[in-house]
Amino acid sequence: MKPSGIGGQAVLEGIMMKNRSQYSVAVRRPDGEIEVKTDEYVGIAGDKAWAKLPLIRGMVNFIDSMILGMKTLSWSASFYEDEEEEAKPGKFEKFLLKLFGEKAEKVVMGATVAFSVIMAVLIFMLLPYFLSGLFRKFIVSNTLLAIVEGCIRMGIFILYVALISSMKDIRRTYMYHGAEHKCINCIERGRALSVRNVRKSSRYHARCGTSFLFIVMVISIIFFIGFFAIVPVKTMWMRVVIRVLLVPVVAGVSYEFIRLAGNSENKVVALLSKPGLCMQKLTTKEPTPDMAEVAIMA
């Protein structure tokens, strides 16, 4: 196996593939034909040297992947909008266009990313903390409370993934997600890109975003236990602030691990990657031949 550096994402009835600054999106249109778009994405930090530093690059790449992901998802969805009635901009859209002009779309995209990050922090970082506080009457040890908090966080994440996987549209997206992994695995094993070779490749990959999020959960437990063991914090609001401040650090460390896992065949690294790969059983499904064809086109 040879790492390719290619990453990807499932979109609506299609797949986006990216390598460095170049990306391609392939979508199966309603008429059955495959539409392909290739373009270049310049990240939020451009070519700045500081954005490539370990730990920092993890958070930068996470934000870039969200922006590009929503951009390509919006493009793929455009093929499935009602063609009979051309949507007219509402009052709010007119206001944004008047206020920001051509930059209105970028402003909305940035606001959506910011909102998504805030909601993720609230649901997966702060909610578990407050729920673990219910056990404070029975548990005196801060270390044990941090473990309980981590277990709650893990439970919320697994429940969230399991619930959305039962939705019909999401299931199809997970099938395209599987096709994306299979295609990348096919390339990294030096096989010719054919539907047959792609379909017999593994649908699990160490550099998957699912594995990244799972590692974030695990790293957060370690960080919170370690930090609060060294620095005792008594007030609740300070514990909340510190958790929020540690989020970029946790994301940075998790990214470095996923990066290492995707470029290493070390047995210890492979063992530590297993739980994240197991989570991919929920977020990837076996694709159909036509989905594998879309992945190859991307």
Side-chain angles (χ1 to χ4, degrees), residues 1-164:
M1 178 178 175
K2 184 179 180 181
S4 63
I6 300 173
Q9 174 188 306
V11 295
L12 186 64
E13 293 299 323
I15 292 168
M16 180 271 288
M17 294 286 192
K18 182 176 180 291
N19 192 7
R20 298 182 185 275
S21 62
Q22 303 294 319
Y23 75 90
S24 171
V25 196
V27 175
R28 178 78 67 179
R29 297 191 321 225
D31 62 6
E33 295 297 316
I34 299 175
E35 184 84 14
V36 180
K37 173 187 176 182
T38 58
D39 206 343
E40 185 175 2
Y41 175 75
V42 179
I44 56 171
D47 293 326
K48 300 288 177 59
W50 60 265
K52 298 176 182 179
L53 294 173
L55 299 183
I56 294 175
R57 62 189 174 190
M59 200 63 192
V60 172
N61 284 336
F62 176 67
I63 295 172
D64 279 340
S65 65
M66 288 188 68
I67 294 173
L68 181 59
M70 283 190 287
K71 182 179 179 180
T72 53
L73 184 61
S74 177
W75 183 78
S76 67
S78 66
F79 293 98
Y80 289 86
E81 292 174 352
D82 191 350
E83 296 178 0
E84 294 180 2
E85 296 183 8
E86 188 176 347
K88 295 181 180 180
K91 291 182 179 180
F92 184 65
E93 289 173 308
K94 288 179 180 179
F95 170 74
L96 290 176
L97 286 169
K98 185 178 179 181
L99 188 63
F100 299 106
E102 294 180 356
K103 294 182 179 180
E105 186 179 351
K106 290 184 178 180
V107 171
V108 172
M109 195 76 70
T112 305
V113 170
F115 177 76
S116 301
V117 171
I118 291 169
M119 289 303 297
V121 171
L122 287 174
I123 295 171
F124 297 109
M125 287 294 172
L126 300 187
L127 179 60
Y129 166 67
F130 287 113
L131 290 178
S132 66
L134 299 174
F135 297 89
R136 197 169 289 278
K137 294 180 181 179
F138 316 102
I139 302 174
V140 179
S141 171
N142 287 329
T143 300
L144 193 54
L145 271 173
I147 294 173
V148 170
E149 178 189 341
C151 291
I152 293 173
R153 182 176 297 112
M154 198 79 71
I156 291 173
F157 175 64
I158 294 172
L159 180 63
Y160 168 77
V161 172
L163 285 175
I164 65 171

Side-chain angles (χ1 to χ4, degrees), residues 124-126 128-129 142-143 145-147 149-150 153 216-231 239-247 249-250:
F124 297 109
M125 287 294 172
L126 300 187
Y129 166 67
N142 287 329
T143 300
L145 271 173
I147 294 173
E149 178 189 341
R153 182 176 297 112
V216 164
M217 304 296 163
V218 176
I219 297 293
S220 67
I221 296 174
I222 298 170
F223 266 61
F224 294 158
I225 290 175
F227 185 88
F228 291 109
I230 298 170
V231 184
R239 287 196 289 267
V240 170
V241 170
I242 289 169
R243 276 167 170 76
V244 173
L245 292 176
L246 283 175
V247 168
V249 181
V250 170

